[in-house]
């Protein structure tokens, strides 16, 4: 099922999300719906608060090449356990802030621990776009958006554009 994606500004995008306990069939179904929603958008990641669920769950697939096998990932309770000193800058976008992009500097590599869809603990070191994406998605779980890394002028300009977009969408444009 395709889920509606919340658009900034929305108080649900600013909340600290709750850890999940037991990985239930309902949570696995939510993860599957989030993956379907992410691929359809299209995007390379999606966090549960973006679909109005304040739980610590993210999905992502940063495989770029069209002829490569997809790698859909489901991460419950993801935690960064190590960040590299060296950084990389990527022009980020966000499905909750459509058509707005800005350079964000983050650690170039991160090690993340999480529970997979079977409730098994996993740990992996991510680099390149995967590292950028997993940090962007974990930020969502802490109520943080990529525009929070920008200066106040740029951030408020984007917020005003999104308020206008939401007014237009509400009028059916
Ligand atoms: O969390 C989100 O809003 C999804 C976001 C993830 C992200 C993008 C760029 C850097 C870090 C994190 C997106 O997927 S925006 C759309 C996007 O980047 C994309 C869309 C189609 C093809 C390739 C990329
Ligand atoms: Zn986002």
């Amino acid at each position: 099922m395709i889920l509606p994606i919340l658009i900034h500004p929305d108080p649900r995008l600013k909340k600290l999300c709750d850890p999940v306990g037991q990985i239930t069939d309902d949570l696995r179904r939510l993860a599957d719906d989030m993956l379907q929603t992410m691929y359809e958008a299209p995007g390379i990641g999606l966090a549960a608060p973006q679909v109005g669920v304040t739980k610590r769950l993210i999905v992502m697939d940063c495989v770029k090449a069209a002829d490569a096998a997809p790698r859909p990932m489901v991460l419950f309770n993801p935690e960064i356990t190590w960040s590299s000193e060296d950084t990389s800058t990527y022009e980020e976008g966000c499905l909750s802030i459509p058509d707005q992009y800005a350079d964000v500097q983050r650690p170039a590599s991160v090690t993340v621990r999480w529970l997979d869809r079977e409730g098994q603990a996993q740990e992996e070191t991510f680099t390149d776009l995967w590292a950028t994406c997993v940090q962007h998605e974990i930020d969502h779980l802490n109520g943080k958006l990529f525009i929070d890394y920008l200066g106040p002028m740029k951030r408020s300009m984007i917020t005003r554009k999104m308020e206008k977009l939401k007014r237009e969408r509400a009028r059916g444009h």
Side-chain angles (χ1 to χ4, degrees), residues 101-119:
Y101 303 90
D103 281 350
V104 178
Q105 188 182 15
R106 300 181 185 271
S109 316
V110 286
T111 303
V112 179
R113 190 163 49 207
W114 73 93
L115 297 178
D116 67 15
R117 49 186 307 137
E118 275 75 47

Side-chain angles (χ1 to χ4, degrees), residues 18-73:
D18 300 317
V20 304
Q22 188 95 341
I23 314 293
T24 60
D25 283 346
D26 279 352
L27 282 170
R28 278 187 276 268
R29 241 185 314 272
L30 172 63
D32 289 340
D33 288 345
M34 285 172 56
L35 278 169
Q36 203 185 338
T37 303
M38 177 194 82
Y39 285 122
E40 199 260 352
I44 55 171
L46 192 67
Q50 294 181 276
V51 294
V53 178
T54 49
K55 293 199 165 105
R56 300 189 80 80
L57 161 62
I58 65 174
V59 299
M60 56 181 190
D61 184 348
C62 299
V63 171
K64 273 191 255 173
D67 57 351
R71 190 187 178 204
M73 295 195 73

Side-chain angles (χ1 to χ4, degrees), residues 31 34-35 45-49 55-60 73-78 112 133-141:
M34 285 172 56
L35 278 169
L46 192 67
K55 293 199 165 105
R56 300 189 80 80
L57 161 62
I58 65 174
V59 299
M60 56 181 190
M73 295 195 73
V74 172
L75 291 77
F76 292 100
N77 298 342
V112 179
C133 187
V134 76
Q135 291 175 81
H136 176 117
E137 301 310 331
I138 291 173
D139 273 353
H140 273 300
L141 305 183

Side-chain angles (χ1 to χ4, degrees), residues 128-159:
D128 305 309
L129 183 55
W130 286 93
T132 297
C133 187
V134 76
Q135 291 175 81
H136 176 117
E137 301 310 331
I138 291 173
D139 273 353
H140 273 300
L141 305 183
N142 297 323
K144 189 162 184 171
L145 301 173
F146 82 89
I147 56 170
D148 295 326
Y149 292 94
L150 310 180
M153 297 270 279
K154 200 152 187 212
R155 187 167 59 239
S156 57
M157 189 190 74
I158 291 175
T159 299

